[in-house]
Amino acid sequence: MINSKFIYIAGPLFSVAERSFLNFLVAELSSKLGLSEETHFFLPHRDCEDTDIVLSPAKKLEIFKKDLGAIQNAKIVIAWLDGQDVDSGTAFEMGYTYNRGTKIFGLLTDRRFLTGSLEPIVNLMVSSSCIVYFSVNQLADAIKKYM
């Protein structure tokens, strides 16, 4: 099952903090799963060289196509669900992935949206398309079992 870029990371990537968390997530998961950050994980802002503050229409289309191709090749998609609401791009990636029949693992660490029963308060369409985990350790354990 371990082919190049088989885990796609979906999440907001517009701020330094968001990109830093996604980088941290990939580093933690690669360590816990014994995988290579560069070889086995597709991280859109890294792998699409999304470094410009303002993207041209041509660059936006290039990133869109590369992201869709990576989702099509992925065996697993990890969706970071933190934030006031799930990022619209992440929600799109999840819907596209779900329609393709690819396994989606959700990660929700935002305590604002956890109830006493640990049931996440996340959009029904989002939470129904994946199993939601509440820590990187839980997520890594679930992926190990799946692999």
Side-chain angles (χ1 to χ4, degrees):
M1 178 188 225
I2 298 181
N3 59 325
S4 184
K5 306 280 187 194
F6 80 102
I7 299 177
Y8 183 96
I9 304 294
L13 45 75
F14 300 101
S15 71
V16 171
E18 290 166 339
R19 289 176 183 224
S20 293
F21 181 79
L22 293 173
N23 291 336
F24 162 79
L25 178 60
V26 168
E28 285 293 301
L29 289 174
S30 67
S31 174
K32 292 177 186 310
L33 299 172
L35 299 173
S36 164
E37 292 180 42
E38 296 289 328
T39 304
H40 297 119
F41 291 85
F42 185 89
L43 190 54
H45 67 274
R46 178 194 69 199
D47 295 320
C48 290
E49 301 172 7
D50 178 9
T51 57
D52 298 330
I53 299 295
V54 178
L55 299 173
S56 70
K59 183 66 174 178
K60 288 178 183 180
L61 183 59
E62 175 189 328
I63 290 170
F64 177 76
K65 288 181 177 180
K66 193 167 184 180
D67 285 354
L68 287 185
I71 292 171
Q72 290 167 4
N73 292 324
K75 304 295 181 235
I76 295 170
V77 169
I78 297 170
W80 182 34
L81 306 175
D82 286 4
Q84 188 65 28
D85 196 13
V86 174
D87 175 71
S88 58
T90 303
F92 172 86
E93 290 163 323
M94 292 178 75
Y96 186 74
T97 300
Y98 184 83
N99 189 54
R100 295 185 54 75
T102 303
K103 181 75 169 177
I104 305 169
F105 293 84
L107 176 62
L108 179 65
T109 66
D110 194 330
R111 292 183 180 193
R112 295 176 292 182
F113 299 103
L114 299 178
T115 66
S117 66
L118 290 181
E119 289 296 320
I121 302 171
V122 175
N123 178 285
L124 170 71
M125 298 302 285
V126 170
S127 64
S128 296
S129 68
C130 65
I131 298 175
V132 179
Y133 298 93
F134 304 102
S135 73
V136 175
N137 286 335
Q138 283 182 342
L139 177 62
D141 289 344
I143 293 170
K144 276 183 196 175
K145 289 176 185 171
Y146 182 73
M147 291 173 41

Coordinates of all heavy atoms in Angstrom, one line a residue, residues 1 3-14 22-23 25-26 29 33 35-50 60-81 87-98 100 102-107 130 139 143 146-147:
M1 N 0.8 -1.2 0.0 CA 0.0 0.0 0.0 C 0.9 1.3 0.0 O 0.4 2.3 -0.4 CB -0.9 0.0 1.2 CG -1.8 1.2 1.3 SD -2.7 1.3 2.9 CE -4.2 1.8 2.2
N3 N 2.8 3.7 -1.5 CA 3.3 4.3 -2.7 C 3.5 5.7 -2.4 O 3.2 6.3 -1.4 CB 2.3 4.0 -3.8 CG 1.0 4.6 -3.6 OD1 0.5 4.6 -2.5 ND2 0.3 5.1 -4.6
S4 N 4.1 6.4 -3.4 CA 4.5 7.8 -3.2 C 3.3 8.7 -3.0 O 2.2 8.5 -3.6 CB 5.2 8.3 -4.5 OG 5.7 9.6 -4.3
K5 N 3.4 9.6 -2.0 CA 2.4 10.6 -1.7 C 1.0 10.0 -1.5 O 0.0 10.4 -2.0 CB 2.3 11.7 -2.7 CG 3.6 12.3 -3.1 CD 3.9 13.4 -2.1 CE 5.2 14.1 -2.6 NZ 5.8 15.0 -1.6
F6 N 0.9 8.9 -0.7 CA -0.4 8.2 -0.5 C -1.2 8.8 0.6 O -2.4 8.4 0.7 CB -0.2 6.7 -0.4 CG 0.2 6.2 1.0 CD1 -0.8 5.7 1.9 CD2 1.5 6.4 1.5 CE1 -0.4 5.2 3.1 CE2 1.8 5.9 2.7 CZ 0.9 5.4 3.6
I7 N -0.7 9.7 1.4 CA -1.5 10.4 2.4 C -1.6 11.9 2.0 O -0.6 12.6 1.9 CB -1.0 10.3 3.8 CG1 -0.9 8.8 4.2 CG2 -1.8 11.0 4.8 CD1 -0.2 8.5 5.5
Y8 N -2.9 12.3 1.7 CA -3.1 13.7 1.4 C -3.6 14.5 2.7 O -4.4 14.0 3.4 CB -4.2 13.8 0.3 CG -4.5 15.2 -0.1 CD1 -4.0 15.7 -1.3 CD2 -5.4 16.0 0.6 CE1 -4.3 17.0 -1.8 CE2 -5.7 17.3 0.1 CZ -5.1 17.8 -1.1 OH -5.4 19.1 -1.5
I9 N -3.0 15.6 2.9 CA -3.3 16.4 4.1 C -4.2 17.6 3.7 O -3.7 18.4 2.9 CB -2.0 17.0 4.8 CG1 -1.1 15.8 5.2 CG2 -2.4 17.8 6.0 CD1 -1.6 14.9 6.2
A10 N -5.4 17.6 4.2 CA -6.3 18.7 3.9 C -6.5 19.6 5.1 O -6.7 19.1 6.2 CB -7.7 18.1 3.4
G11 N -6.5 20.9 4.9 CA -6.7 21.8 6.0 C -6.4 23.2 5.5 O -5.8 23.4 4.5
P12 N -6.8 24.2 6.4 CA -6.6 25.6 6.0 C -5.1 25.8 6.0 O -4.3 25.3 6.8 CB -7.3 26.4 7.1 CG -7.3 25.4 8.3 CD -7.5 24.0 7.7
L13 N -4.6 26.7 5.1 CA -3.2 26.9 4.9 C -2.8 28.3 4.6 O -1.9 28.6 3.9 CB -2.6 25.9 3.9 CG -3.3 25.8 2.6 CD1 -3.2 26.9 1.6 CD2 -2.9 24.5 1.9
F14 N -3.6 29.2 5.1 CA -3.5 30.6 4.7 C -2.7 31.5 5.7 O -2.3 32.6 5.4 CB -4.9 31.2 4.6 CG -5.7 30.5 3.5 CD1 -6.6 29.6 3.8 CD2 -5.4 30.7 2.1 CE1 -7.3 28.9 2.8 CE2 -6.0 30.0 1.2 CZ -7.0 29.1 1.5
L22 N 0.1 22.2 10.2 CA 0.1 21.2 9.2 C 1.5 20.5 9.0 O 1.6 19.3 8.9 CB -0.4 21.7 7.8 CG -1.9 22.1 7.8 CD1 -2.3 22.8 6.5 CD2 -2.8 20.9 8.1
N23 N 2.5 21.4 9.0 CA 3.9 20.8 9.0 C 4.2 20.0 10.2 O 4.8 18.9 10.1 CB 4.9 22.0 8.9 CG 4.9 22.7 7.6 OD1 4.5 22.2 6.6 ND2 5.3 24.0 7.6
L25 N 1.9 18.4 12.0 CA 1.1 17.2 11.9 C 1.8 16.1 11.0 O 1.9 14.9 11.4 CB -0.3 17.5 11.3 CG -1.2 16.4 11.0 CD1 -1.6 15.6 12.3 CD2 -2.5 16.9 10.4
V26 N 2.3 16.6 9.9 CA 3.1 15.6 9.0 C 4.3 15.1 9.7 O 4.6 13.9 9.6 CB 3.4 16.3 7.6 CG1 4.4 15.5 6.8 CG2 2.1 16.6 6.8
L29 N 3.1 12.5 12.4 CA 2.6 11.3 11.8 C 3.7 10.5 11.1 O 3.7 9.3 11.2 CB 1.4 11.6 10.8 CG 0.1 12.1 11.4 CD1 -0.8 12.5 10.3 CD2 -0.5 11.0 12.3
L33 N 4.3 6.8 12.3 CA 4.0 5.7 11.3 C 5.2 5.1 10.6 O 5.0 4.2 9.8 CB 3.0 6.3 10.3 CG 1.7 6.8 10.8 CD1 0.9 7.5 9.8 CD2 0.9 5.6 11.5
L35 N 7.0 6.7 8.3 CA 7.0 7.1 6.9 C 7.8 8.3 6.7 O 8.2 9.0 7.6 CB 5.5 7.4 6.5 CG 4.5 6.2 6.7 CD1 3.1 6.7 6.4 CD2 4.9 5.1 5.7
S36 N 8.0 8.6 5.4 CA 8.8 9.8 5.1 C 7.9 11.0 4.8 O 6.9 10.9 4.1 CB 9.6 9.5 3.8 OG 10.0 10.7 3.2
E37 N 8.2 12.1 5.5 CA 7.4 13.4 5.3 C 7.3 13.7 3.8 O 6.3 14.1 3.3 CB 8.0 14.5 6.0 CG 8.0 14.4 7.5 CD 8.6 15.6 8.2 OE1 8.4 16.7 7.8 OE2 9.3 15.4 9.2
E38 N 8.4 13.7 3.1 CA 8.5 14.2 1.7 C 7.9 13.1 0.8 O 7.3 13.5 -0.2 CB 10.0 14.5 1.3 CG 10.6 15.6 2.1 CD 10.0 17.0 1.8 OE1 9.6 17.1 0.6 OE2 9.9 17.8 2.6
T39 N 8.2 11.9 1.0 CA 7.8 10.8 0.1 C 6.3 10.4 0.2 O 5.7 10.2 -0.8 CB 8.7 9.6 0.2 OG1 10.1 10.0 0.1 CG2 8.4 8.5 -0.8
H40 N 5.8 10.3 1.4 CA 4.5 9.6 1.6 C 3.4 10.6 1.9 O 2.2 10.2 1.8 CB 4.6 8.6 2.7 CG 5.6 7.5 2.4 ND1 6.7 7.3 3.2 CD2 5.6 6.6 1.4 CE1 7.3 6.3 2.7 NE2 6.7 5.8 1.6
F41 N 3.7 11.9 2.1 CA 2.6 12.8 2.5 C 2.6 13.9 1.4 O 3.6 14.5 1.1 CB 2.9 13.5 3.8 CG 2.7 12.6 5.0 CD1 3.8 11.8 5.4 CD2 1.6 12.5 5.7 CE1 3.7 10.9 6.5 CE2 1.4 11.7 6.8 CZ 2.5 10.9 7.2
F42 N 1.4 14.2 0.9 CA 1.1 15.3 0.0 C 0.6 16.5 0.9 O -0.5 16.4 1.5 CB 0.1 15.0 -1.1 CG 0.0 16.2 -2.1 CD1 0.8 16.3 -3.2 CD2 -0.9 17.2 -1.9 CE1 0.7 17.3 -4.1 CE2 -1.1 18.2 -2.7 CZ -0.2 18.3 -3.8
L43 N 1.4 17.5 1.0 CA 1.1 18.7 1.8 C 0.9 19.9 0.8 O 1.9 20.3 0.2 CB 2.2 19.0 2.8 CG 2.0 20.0 3.9 CD1 0.7 19.7 4.7 CD2 3.2 20.0 4.8
P44 N -0.3 20.3 0.5 CA -0.5 21.2 -0.6 C 0.4 22.5 -0.6 O 0.9 22.8 -1.7 CB -2.0 21.6 -0.4 CG -2.6 20.4 0.1 CD -1.6 19.9 1.1
H45 N 0.5 23.2 0.5 CA 1.3 24.4 0.4 C 2.8 24.1 0.2 O 3.5 24.9 -0.4 CB 1.2 25.2 1.7 CG 1.7 24.6 2.9 ND1 0.9 23.8 3.7 CD2 2.9 24.8 3.6 CE1 1.6 23.4 4.8 NE2 2.8 24.0 4.7
R46 N 3.3 22.9 0.6 CA 4.7 22.5 0.3 C 4.8 22.0 -1.1 O 5.7 22.4 -1.8 CB 5.1 21.5 1.3 CG 6.5 21.0 1.1 CD 6.8 19.7 2.0 NE 6.0 18.6 1.4 CZ 5.8 17.5 2.1 NH1 6.2 17.4 3.4 NH2 5.1 16.5 1.6
D47 N 4.0 21.1 -1.5 CA 4.1 20.3 -2.7 C 3.7 21.1 -4.0 O 4.0 20.7 -5.1 CB 3.5 19.0 -2.7 CG 4.1 18.1 -1.6 OD1 5.4 18.1 -1.5 OD2 3.4 17.4 -0.9
C48 N 2.9 22.2 -3.8 CA 2.5 23.0 -4.9 C 3.3 24.3 -4.9 O 3.0 25.2 -5.7 CB 1.0 23.4 -4.8 SG -0.1 22.0 -5.1
E49 N 4.3 24.4 -4.0 CA 5.1 25.6 -4.0 C 4.3 26.9 -3.9 O 4.5 27.8 -4.6 CB 6.1 25.6 -5.2 CG 7.0 24.4 -5.2 CD 7.8 24.3 -6.5 OE1 7.8 25.3 -7.3 OE2 8.5 23.3 -6.7
D50 N 3.3 26.8 -3.0 CA 2.4 27.9 -2.8 C 3.0 28.9 -1.8 O 2.7 28.9 -0.6 CB 1.1 27.4 -2.2 CG 0.1 28.4 -1.9 OD1 0.3 29.6 -2.3 OD2 -1.0 28.1 -1.3
K60 N -3.3 29.7 -9.5 CA -4.4 29.1 -8.8 C -4.9 27.8 -9.5 O -5.2 26.8 -8.9 CB -5.6 30.1 -8.7 CG -5.3 31.2 -7.7 CD -6.5 32.2 -7.7 CE -6.2 33.4 -6.8 NZ -7.3 34.3 -6.8
L61 N -5.0 27.9 -10.9 CA -5.5 26.7 -11.6 C -4.5 25.6 -11.5 O -4.8 24.4 -11.4 CB -5.7 27.1 -13.1 CG -6.3 26.0 -14.0 CD1 -7.6 25.5 -13.5 CD2 -6.4 26.5 -15.4
E62 N -3.2 25.9 -11.6 CA -2.1 24.9 -11.5 C -2.2 24.2 -10.1 O -2.2 23.0 -10.0 CB -0.8 25.6 -11.6 CG 0.4 24.7 -11.4 CD 1.7 25.4 -11.3 OE1 1.9 26.5 -12.0 OE2 2.6 25.0 -10.5
I63 N -2.4 24.9 -9.0 CA -2.5 24.4 -7.7 C -3.8 23.5 -7.6 O -3.8 22.4 -7.1 CB -2.5 25.5 -6.6 CG1 -1.1 26.1 -6.5 CG2 -3.0 24.9 -5.3 CD1 -1.1 27.4 -5.7
F64 N -4.9 24.0 -8.1 CA -6.2 23.3 -8.1 C -6.0 21.9 -8.8 O -6.4 20.9 -8.2 CB -7.3 24.1 -8.8 CG -8.6 23.4 -8.9 CD1 -9.4 23.3 -7.8 CD2 -9.0 22.9 -10.1 CE1 -10.7 22.6 -7.9 CE2 -10.2 22.2 -10.2 CZ -11.0 22.1 -9.1
K65 N -5.4 21.9 -10.0 CA -5.2 20.6 -10.7 C -4.3 19.7 -10.0 O -4.5 18.5 -10.0 CB -4.7 20.9 -12.1 CG -5.8 21.5 -13.0 CD -5.3 21.8 -14.4 CE -6.4 22.3 -15.3 NZ -6.0 22.6 -16.7
K66 N -3.2 20.2 -9.4 CA -2.2 19.4 -8.7 C -2.9 18.8 -7.5 O -2.6 17.6 -7.2 CB -1.0 20.2 -8.4 CG 0.2 19.3 -7.9 CD 1.5 20.1 -7.9 CE 2.6 19.2 -7.6 NZ 3.9 19.9 -7.5
D67 N -3.6 19.6 -6.7 CA -4.3 19.1 -5.5 C -5.3 18.0 -5.9 O -5.4 16.9 -5.2 CB -5.1 20.2 -4.8 CG -4.1 21.1 -4.0 OD1 -2.9 20.9 -3.9 OD2 -4.6 22.2 -3.5
L68 N -6.1 18.2 -7.0 CA -7.1 17.2 -7.4 C -6.4 15.9 -7.8 O -6.8 14.8 -7.4 CB -8.0 17.6 -8.5 CG -9.0 18.6 -8.2 CD1 -9.9 18.9 -9.4 CD2 -9.9 18.2 -7.0
G69 N -5.2 16.0 -8.5 CA -4.5 14.8 -8.9 C -3.9 14.1 -7.7 O -3.9 12.9 -7.6
A70 N -3.5 14.8 -6.7 CA -3.0 14.2 -5.5 C -4.1 13.5 -4.7 O -3.8 12.4 -4.2 CB -2.3 15.3 -4.6
I71 N -5.3 14.1 -4.7 CA -6.4 13.4 -4.0 C -6.7 12.1 -4.7 O -7.0 11.1 -4.2 CB -7.6 14.3 -3.9 CG1 -7.3 15.5 -2.9 CG2 -8.8 13.6 -3.4 CD1 -8.4 16.6 -2.9
Q72 N -6.7 12.2 -6.1 CA -7.0 11.0 -6.9 C -6.1 9.9 -6.6 O -6.4 8.7 -6.7 CB -7.1 11.4 -8.4 CG -8.2 12.3 -8.7 CD -8.1 12.9 -10.1 OE1 -7.2 12.6 -10.9 NE2 -9.0 13.7 -10.5
N73 N -4.8 10.2 -6.3 CA -3.8 9.2 -6.1 C -3.7 8.7 -4.7 O -3.0 7.8 -4.4 CB -2.4 9.7 -6.6 CG -2.3 9.8 -8.1 OD1 -2.9 9.0 -8.8 ND2 -1.7 10.9 -8.6
A74 N -4.3 9.5 -3.8 CA -4.2 9.2 -2.3 C -5.0 7.9 -1.9 O -6.0 7.6 -2.5 CB -4.7 10.4 -1.5
K75 N -4.5 7.2 -1.0 CA -5.2 6.1 -0.4 C -5.9 6.5 0.9 O -6.8 5.9 1.4 CB -4.2 5.0 0.0 CG -3.4 4.5 -1.2 CD -4.3 3.9 -2.3 CE -3.5 3.3 -3.4 NZ -3.9 3.9 -4.7
I76 N -5.4 7.6 1.5 CA -5.9 8.2 2.8 C -5.9 9.7 2.6 O -4.9 10.3 2.1 CB -5.0 7.8 4.0 CG1 -5.0 6.3 4.2 CG2 -5.4 8.5 5.2 CD1 -4.0 5.8 5.2
V77 N -7.0 10.4 3.1 CA -7.0 11.8 3.3 C -7.2 12.1 4.8 O -8.0 11.5 5.4 CB -8.1 12.5 2.4 CG1 -8.3 13.9 2.8 CG2 -7.7 12.3 0.9
I78 N -6.3 13.0 5.3 CA -6.5 13.5 6.6 C -7.0 14.9 6.6 O -6.4 15.8 5.9 CB -5.1 13.4 7.4 CG1 -4.7 12.0 7.5 CG2 -5.3 14.1 8.8 CD1 -3.2 11.8 8.0
A79 N -8.1 15.2 7.2 CA -8.7 16.5 7.2 C -8.6 17.1 8.6 O -9.2 16.6 9.5 CB -10.2 16.4 6.7
W80 N -8.0 18.3 8.6 CA -7.9 19.0 9.9 C -9.1 19.9 10.0 O -9.4 20.7 9.1 CB -6.6 19.9 9.9 CG -6.4 20.6 11.1 CD1 -6.7 20.3 12.4 CD2 -5.7 21.9 11.2 NE1 -6.3 21.3 13.3 CE2 -5.7 22.3 12.6 CE3 -5.2 22.8 10.3 CZ2 -5.2 23.5 13.0 CZ3 -4.7 24.0 10.7 CH2 -4.6 24.3 12.0
L81 N -9.9 19.7 11.0 CA -11.2 20.3 11.1 C -11.3 21.4 12.1 O -12.4 22.0 12.4 CB -12.2 19.2 11.6 CG -12.3 17.9 10.7 CD1 -13.2 16.9 11.3 CD2 -12.6 18.3 9.3
D87 N -12.8 24.8 7.2 CA -12.3 25.5 6.1 C -13.1 25.1 4.8 O -13.3 23.9 4.6 CB -10.8 25.3 5.9 CG -10.3 26.0 4.7 OD1 -10.2 27.2 4.7 OD2 -9.9 25.2 3.8
S88 N -13.5 26.0 4.0 CA -14.3 25.7 2.8 C -13.5 24.8 1.8 O -14.0 23.9 1.2 CB -14.8 26.9 2.1 OG -13.7 27.8 1.7
G89 N -12.2 25.1 1.7 CA -11.4 24.2 0.8 C -11.3 22.8 1.3 O -11.3 21.8 0.6
T90 N -11.1 22.7 2.7 CA -11.1 21.4 3.3 C -12.4 20.6 3.1 O -12.4 19.4 2.8 CB -10.8 21.5 4.8 OG1 -9.5 22.2 4.9 CG2 -10.6 20.2 5.5
A91 N -13.5 21.3 3.2 CA -14.8 20.7 3.0 C -14.9 20.2 1.6 O -15.4 19.1 1.3 CB -15.9 21.7 3.4
F92 N -14.5 21.0 0.6 CA -14.5 20.6 -0.8 C -13.6 19.3 -1.0 O -14.1 18.4 -1.6 CB -14.0 21.7 -1.7 CG -13.8 21.2 -3.1 CD1 -14.9 21.3 -4.0 CD2 -12.6 20.8 -3.6 CE1 -14.7 20.8 -5.3 CE2 -12.4 20.3 -4.9 CZ -13.5 20.3 -5.8
E93 N -12.4 19.3 -0.4 CA -11.5 18.2 -0.6 C -12.1 16.9 0.0 O -12.0 15.9 -0.5 CB -10.2 18.5 0.1 CG -9.4 19.5 -0.7 CD -8.2 20.2 0.1 OE1 -8.4 20.4 1.4 OE2 -7.2 20.4 -0.5
M94 N -12.8 17.1 1.2 CA -13.5 16.0 1.8 C -14.6 15.4 0.9 O -14.8 14.2 0.8 CB -14.0 16.4 3.2 CG -12.9 16.7 4.2 SD -13.6 17.2 5.8 CE -14.2 15.6 6.4
G95 N -15.4 16.3 0.4 CA -16.5 15.9 -0.5 C -16.0 15.2 -1.7 O -16.5 14.1 -2.1
Y96 N -15.0 15.7 -2.3 CA -14.4 15.1 -3.5 C -13.8 13.7 -3.2 O -14.0 12.7 -3.9 CB -13.3 16.0 -4.1 CG -12.7 15.6 -5.4 CD1 -13.4 15.7 -6.6 CD2 -11.4 15.0 -5.4 CE1 -12.9 15.3 -7.8 CE2 -10.9 14.6 -6.6 CZ -11.6 14.7 -7.8 OH -11.1 14.3 -9.0
T97 N -13.1 13.6 -2.0 CA -12.6 12.4 -1.6 C -13.6 11.3 -1.3 O -13.5 10.2 -1.7 CB -11.7 12.6 -0.3 OG1 -10.7 13.6 -0.7 CG2 -11.1 11.4 0.2
Y98 N -14.7 11.8 -0.5 CA -15.7 10.9 -0.2 C -16.4 10.3 -1.4 O -16.7 9.1 -1.5 CB -16.8 11.6 0.7 CG -17.9 10.7 1.2 CD1 -17.7 9.9 2.3 CD2 -19.1 10.6 0.5 CE1 -18.7 9.1 2.8 CE2 -20.1 9.8 1.0 CZ -19.9 9.0 2.1 OH -20.9 8.2 2.5
R100 N -15.1 9.7 -4.2 CA -14.2 8.8 -4.8 C -14.1 7.5 -4.0 O -13.4 6.5 -4.5 CB -12.8 9.4 -5.0 CG -12.8 10.6 -5.9 CD -11.4 11.1 -6.2 NE -10.4 10.1 -6.6 CZ -10.4 9.5 -7.8 NH1 -11.2 9.9 -8.7 NH2 -9.5 8.6 -8.1
T102 N -12.5 7.1 -1.1 CA -11.2 7.1 -0.4 C -11.4 7.3 1.1 O -12.3 8.1 1.5 CB -10.2 8.1 -1.0 OG1 -10.0 7.9 -2.4 CG2 -8.9 8.1 -0.3
K103 N -10.7 6.7 1.9 CA -10.8 6.8 3.4 C -10.4 8.2 3.9 O -9.4 8.7 3.5 CB -9.9 5.7 4.1 CG -10.0 5.7 5.6 CD -11.3 5.1 6.1 CE -11.2 4.9 7.6 NZ -12.4 4.3 8.1
I104 N -11.3 8.8 4.7 CA -11.0 10.1 5.3 C -10.9 10.0 6.8 O -11.8 9.4 7.4 CB -12.1 11.1 4.9 CG1 -12.3 11.2 3.4 CG2 -11.8 12.5 5.5 CD1 -13.5 12.0 3.0
F105 N -9.8 10.5 7.4 CA -9.6 10.6 8.8 C -9.7 12.1 9.2 O -9.0 12.9 8.6 CB -8.3 10.1 9.2 CG -8.1 8.6 9.0 CD1 -7.7 8.1 7.8 CD2 -8.2 7.7 10.0 CE1 -7.5 6.7 7.6 CE2 -8.1 6.3 9.8 CZ -7.7 5.9 8.6
G106 N -10.6 12.4 10.1 CA -10.7 13.8 10.5 C -10.0 14.0 11.8 O -9.9 13.1 12.7
L107 N -9.4 15.2 12.0 CA -8.7 15.6 13.2 C -9.3 16.8 13.8 O -9.3 17.9 13.1 CB -7.2 15.8 13.0 CG -6.4 16.2 14.2 CD1 -6.4 15.2 15.3 CD2 -4.9 16.5 13.8
C130 N -16.4 11.1 7.6 CA -15.1 10.7 8.1 C -15.3 10.2 9.6 O -16.4 10.5 10.2 CB -14.1 11.7 8.1 SG -14.4 13.2 9.1
L139 N -5.2 9.7 16.1 CA -5.2 9.6 14.6 C -4.1 8.6 14.1 O -4.4 7.8 13.2 CB -4.9 11.0 14.0 CG -4.8 11.2 12.5 CD1 -6.1 10.8 11.9 CD2 -4.5 12.6 12.2
I143 N -4.7 5.2 11.9 CA -4.1 5.0 10.6 C -3.2 3.7 10.6 O -3.2 3.0 9.6 CB -3.2 6.2 10.2 CG1 -4.2 7.4 9.9 CG2 -2.4 5.9 8.9 CD1 -3.4 8.8 9.7
Y146 N -5.5 0.9 10.0 CA -6.0 0.9 8.6 C -4.9 0.4 7.6 O -5.3 -0.3 6.7 CB -6.4 2.3 8.3 CG -7.0 2.4 6.9 CD1 -8.3 1.9 6.6 CD2 -6.3 3.0 5.8 CE1 -8.9 1.9 5.3 CE2 -6.9 3.1 4.6 CZ -8.1 2.5 4.3 OH -8.7 2.6 3.1
M147 N -3.7 0.8 7.9 CA -2.6 0.4 6.9 C -2.4 -1.1 7.0 O -2.0 -1.7 6.2 CB -1.3 1.2 7.2 CG -1.4 2.6 6.9 SD 0.0 3.7 7.4 CE 1.4 2.7 7.0

